[in-house]
Amino acid sequence: MSAGMTRYRSGFMLWKVIQKARELTGEVRVRERVDAVLHIMGGSGGTYGKGRPLVGALENVA
């Protein structure tokens, strides 16, 4: 990797995408489901969630 490039974990990138989706959502029911995903993921510096609970929450948003 070249100097100056930042490495990001995939969990962090997923968290950022879901945060952005929440910002773009105007529908309250969808926002509540997105919030459930963010809660499971634990936020910046968290574990970003994993396994079936995260998958289930993501399916609920879809």
Side-chain angles (χ1 to χ4, degrees):
M1 184 161 63
S2 65
M5 289 187 67
T6 303
R7 296 181 72 178
Y8 293 103
R9 295 186 55 200
S10 59
F12 174 75
M13 295 308 295
L14 178 60
W15 180 73
K16 293 294 284 181
V17 167
I18 294 181
Q19 259 195 324
K20 189 61 171 178
R22 188 194 188 286
E23 291 174 17
L24 297 173
T25 296
E27 181 67 35
V28 173
R29 289 178 295 170
V30 174
R31 191 175 313 121
E32 289 170 350
R33 292 175 180 174
V34 171
D35 286 342
V37 171
L38 292 171
H39 178 74
I40 290 169
M41 295 187 80
S44 181
T47 63
Y48 301 117
K50 59 182 177 182
R52 191 67 203 150
L54 178 57
V55 172
L58 288 166
E59 287 174 344
N60 284 337
V61 173

